[in-house]
Amino acid sequence: MKVILASSSPRRKEILNLIGLKDFEIYPPRVREVVVKAPSDVKTNALRKAKWVYKRLKPFKGEEILIIASDTAVFANGTFLGKPKSIKEARKFLKLLSGRWHTVYTTVAVIYRKPLKVARKITLSRTDVKFKPLTEKEIDWYISTGEPLDKAGAYGVQGFGAVFIEKLKGDYFTVMGLPAKELYSSLKSLIGLEKTLKLLSGGGGI
């Protein structure tokens, strides 16, 4: 079975490796995403990524294929916070998050292809996160690390940004960008428990 991660994110690659899925190809999608205004848009974007890769696969020759795609969005006070376009915007985002709760939504979209069958599974996971109050000096330091500039919401829970997390309600991997339990559930639903466990034991060629 060929497994494809439809993402260039090193964090998502790391999560797959962490749960035992090591034999996979990386195929970054180049898709136009919808502007996120609601959690349903996160589902739309993840599915678009998976479909984009699926449509560019070689003609079907009987090989089983799994495509895993994901999309993450941060909402604070009802406003979507994407990746900051500048240092100024990163500072604005961090001030908005400072001392407050916000919500992270991540969708996992999986497409499974085998002879005479194409199936898909889409899940949406939510985690609430509270930041500690940040001083100007802390914001300046964090921006100087460069981490906020390529992260949705201007922070990374698995990096320097971890020191600012006061509380977290929900799944840590949702905030990191690929909820492992949702992926596991989707794999079981699509290919069955036995194949899923073999896949997570390094059996990419099952």
Side-chain angles (χ1 to χ4, degrees), residues 16-96:
L16 292 189
N17 287 331
L18 186 64
I19 64 173
L21 212 170
K22 302 180 186 296
D23 186 8
F24 59 90
E25 299 177 9
I26 294 176
Y27 198 148
R30 296 189 296 273
V31 63
R32 178 172 293 181
E33 299 181 18
V34 301
V35 177
V36 176
K37 296 181 180 179
S40 58
D41 296 326
V42 186
K43 296 175 73 173
T44 298
N45 283 333
L47 184 57
R48 282 191 176 192
K49 293 175 183 179
K51 284 182 173 180
W52 190 93
V53 172
Y54 178 79
K55 290 177 181 178
R56 282 155 182 80
L57 294 177
K58 293 180 180 179
F60 185 59
K61 295 181 180 179
E63 183 180 26
E64 291 183 75
I65 293 176
L66 271 172
I67 300 170
I68 301 169
S70 188
D71 194 63
T72 299
V74 176
F75 287 85
N77 293 337
T79 301
F80 166 63
L81 305 182
K83 293 180 181 179
K85 299 180 179 64
S86 63
I87 290 177
K88 181 178 179 181
E89 189 168 47
R91 185 181 302 278
K92 176 183 175 182
F93 286 1
L94 291 168
K95 285 184 176 181
L96 182 61

Side-chain angles (χ1 to χ4, degrees), residues 12-185:
R12 291 181 176 127
K13 178 183 177 182
E14 180 184 347
I15 293 170
L16 292 189
N17 287 331
L18 186 64
I19 64 173
L21 212 170
K22 302 180 186 296
D23 186 8
F24 59 90
E25 299 177 9
I26 294 176
Y27 198 148
R30 296 189 296 273
V31 63
R32 178 172 293 181
E33 299 181 18
V34 301
V35 177
V36 176
K37 296 181 180 179
S40 58
D41 296 326
V42 186
K43 296 175 73 173
T44 298
N45 283 333
L47 184 57
R48 282 191 176 192
K49 293 175 183 179
K51 284 182 173 180
W52 190 93
V53 172
Y54 178 79
K55 290 177 181 178
R56 282 155 182 80
L57 294 177
K58 293 180 180 179
F60 185 59
K61 295 181 180 179
E63 183 180 26
E64 291 183 75
I65 293 176
L66 271 172
I67 300 170
I68 301 169
S70 188
D71 194 63
T72 299
V74 176
F75 287 85
N77 293 337
T79 301
F80 166 63
L81 305 182
K83 293 180 181 179
K85 299 180 179 64
S86 63
I87 290 177
K88 181 178 179 181
E89 189 168 47
R91 185 181 302 278
K92 176 183 175 182
F93 286 1
L94 291 168
K95 285 184 176 181
L96 182 61
L97 298 175
S98 175
R100 298 186 178 95
W101 285 95
H102 63 275
T103 303
V104 180
Y105 291 94
T106 295
T107 285
V108 177
V110 182
I111 295 178
Y112 171 52
R113 185 181 78 177
K114 71 174 186 177
L116 305 179
K117 179 182 179 180
V118 177
R120 69 187 190 191
K121 186 76 174 178
I122 305 167
T123 60
L124 178 67
S125 181
R126 165 182 173 159
T127 296
D128 295 320
V129 182
K130 187 179 182 184
F131 256 43
K132 68 180 291 293
L134 304 180
T135 65
E136 289 288 343
K137 191 168 187 178
E138 287 173 317
I139 291 174
D140 288 341
W141 167 78
Y142 189 39
I143 289 175
S144 74
T145 69
E147 187 174 271
L149 298 178
D150 72 336
K151 304 285 190 300
Y155 78 95
V157 70
Q158 75 289 343
F160 296 109
V163 300
F164 301 139
I165 305 300
E166 187 174 290
K167 295 180 182 178
L168 189 150
K169 294 181 180 178
D171 178 51
Y172 171 84
F173 291 108
T174 293
V175 187
M176 196 170 167
L178 183 62
K181 65 182 180 66
E182 299 295 346
L183 174 60
Y184 179 63
S185 176

Side-chain angles (χ1 to χ4, degrees), residues 19-23 194-204:
I19 64 173
L21 212 170
K22 302 180 186 296
D23 186 8
E194 184 177 347
K195 281 189 175 182
T196 297
L197 294 179
K198 285 183 179 180
L199 200 62
L200 301 185
S201 299

